[in-house]
Amino acid sequence: MRIDFHASPEPTLGVEWELALVDKTTRDLDNRAADLFAAARPVLPDPGRVHEELLRNTVEVVTGVCRTTAEAVDDLRGTLGALLPVADDLGLDLYGGGTHPFARWTEQQLTEGHRYAELIDRTRWWGRQMLIWGVHVHVGLPAQERVMPVLSALLTSYPHLQALSASSPIWAGTDTGYASNRALMFQQLPTAGLPFQFQTWSEFESFAEDQLTTGVVDGLGEIRWDVRPAAHLGTLENRVCDGVSRVDDLSALVALMHCLVVDLDQRAAAGERLTVLPPWHVQENKWRAARYGLDAIVVVDERSTERLVTDDLADLLDRLAPTARRLGCVDELASVEDLVARGASYQRQRRVAAAHDGDLVAVVDSVVRELRDGLG
């Protein structure tokens, strides 16, 4: 089976930001995405920037093809600036966590469409449980033969991205003890979770052919890996991150993902052999980052060396500084340290819950407020 990777001559960016809809009064999830789309369509600068998702409680805001982090964030700001007043009129707020702290999955409604109905028919209980939201970042790559080596090498930074973005500690009214419950929920779906570490594009083609032949998937878009190639776009799509509520957090994470992919690709193009962790270390790092967040101790090389993820992150940011200068995102990449200093979303949510005697409505209030404050 041949899959053509439509290579991108520039390291362009595209961002997809999933947001939940919550009722302004009850703070529970609200299934009125269709009403929001209908009311917003006449006022949006580009209606194509807002997409429906699996459940009616979700909207996805996307950018066009961007060249810098600042351009991508400004694109998202423009769409949300038009969308929020419409949501206000409908009594809705936008919520940027990886999970909702107390919503019941049994009360959520499926978006109409054959693709979604088939997914739920196959996945049943696990599919219906997917009250999760994330951020996906596409980075353009110029050469098909380097896509899989870059993907495999990017997995060494998986726990850094997971820990920084973790925003799903509370599920169904209970603190799970995990920084990112979303990470472990999502991998229950078939074809979701960590990617296989193929060395060549032809290995990926062979895998995809097997998946299609055996009916595991009906199209490449159903391969729901945490990091996956988007051949039709010429990008590597990073789907590691939990939902994000602060615009400055989003900016920092997008810059980090942009720099990581471009740095790895340029090193591979120069003939460097990229560092790749054994799959068992990658899997363990994912669990540790989901469990402990920014306090995770992760495996950083094939010799089983371990470091605190934030210590390793500091060295990573130093290494990426020249790439950030080339990509015009020096300030955004530097702000990753600010994210660590103020605490990731899972930490902030827990602080709010503790300050309000476990009141989870207050947690939703805080996440909603962070998004609004960041949009000015």
Side-chain angles (χ1 to χ4, degrees), residues 69-82:
T69 295
E71 182 183 347
V73 172
D74 284 346
D75 192 328
L76 294 167
R77 281 180 182 275
T79 301
L80 286 172

Side-chain angles (χ1 to χ4, degrees), residues 33-48:
D35 294 341
L36 180 61
F37 291 146
R41 198 168 289 118
V43 301
L44 287 172
D46 180 353

Side-chain angles (χ1 to χ4, degrees), residues 49-239:
R49 293 284 202 266
V50 180
H51 297 168
E52 63 182 14
E53 279 293 317
L54 172 67
L55 297 175
R56 296 186 188 185
N57 58 35
T58 303
V59 297
E60 181 183 62
V61 181
V62 306
T63 69
V65 177
C66 302
R67 286 177 171 77
T68 67
T69 295
E71 182 183 347
V73 172
D74 284 346
D75 192 328
L76 294 167
R77 281 180 182 275
T79 301
L80 286 172
L83 191 62
L84 276 174
V86 180
D88 287 339
D89 289 343
L90 294 172
L92 300 172
D93 269 316
L94 301 183
Y95 174 88
T99 57
H100 187 281
F102 61 83
R104 294 182 175 87
W105 66 268
T106 54
E107 298 177 2
Q108 310 314 311
Q109 299 171 13
L110 190 67
T111 299
E112 291 183 5
H114 178 69
R115 177 169 68 101
Y116 294 134
E118 278 200 344
L119 172 64
I120 295 301
D121 183 61
R122 184 180 184 206
T123 59
R124 294 290 175 159
W125 190 85
W126 275 114
R128 290 289 285 119
Q129 289 274 351
M130 291 295 126
L131 299 188
I132 56 175
W133 300 273
V135 171
H136 307 160
V137 176
H138 292 260
V139 178
L141 285 176
Q144 178 174 290
E145 65 271 15
R146 296 201 297 271
V147 173
M148 300 316 297
V150 169
L151 185 157
S152 294
L154 184 63
L155 296 177
T156 63
S157 300
Y158 188 113
H160 308 66
L161 295 168
Q162 183 67 83
L164 286 165
S165 68
S167 63
S168 49
I170 307 170
W171 173 263
T174 300
D175 190 321
T176 64
Y178 284 78
S180 174
N181 195 47
R182 168 192 168 272
L184 303 184
M185 289 285 298
F186 190 45
Q187 68 183 15
Q188 305 308 317
L189 293 184
T191 78
L194 290 168
F196 295 103
Q197 296 183 31
F198 299 128
Q199 293 303 305
T200 66
W201 189 255
S202 62
E203 289 179 305
F204 173 66
E205 289 176 322
S206 179
F207 162 80
E209 182 175 18
D210 287 347
Q211 297 288 288
L212 290 163
T213 298
T214 57
V216 176
V217 300
D218 293 325
L220 296 180
E222 295 179 15
I223 299 173
R224 299 181 179 90
W225 290 341
D226 297 335
V227 184
R228 67 181 181 181
H232 63 299
L233 298 174
T235 66
L236 191 62
E237 182 184 5
N238 193 322
R239 299 154 53 87

Side-chain angles (χ1 to χ4, degrees), residues 11 67-69 255-256 258-260 262-263 266 316-334:
R67 286 177 171 77
T68 67
T69 295
L256 178 55
H258 198 190
C259 289
L260 279 168
V262 172
D263 172 68
Q266 290 179 337
L316 178 61
L317 294 177
D318 287 342
R319 193 193 87 200
L320 293 175
T323 303
R325 286 193 290 271
R326 288 195 296 272
L327 295 175
C329 60
V330 171
D331 291 342
E332 292 91 340
L333 185 67

Side-chain angles (χ1 to χ4, degrees), residues 295-309:
D295 292 319
I297 296 173
V298 298
V299 185
V300 297
D301 59 35
E302 61 184 7
R303 298 183 301 277
S304 300
T305 305
E306 294 176 293
R307 296 187 76 190
L308 181 65
V309 69

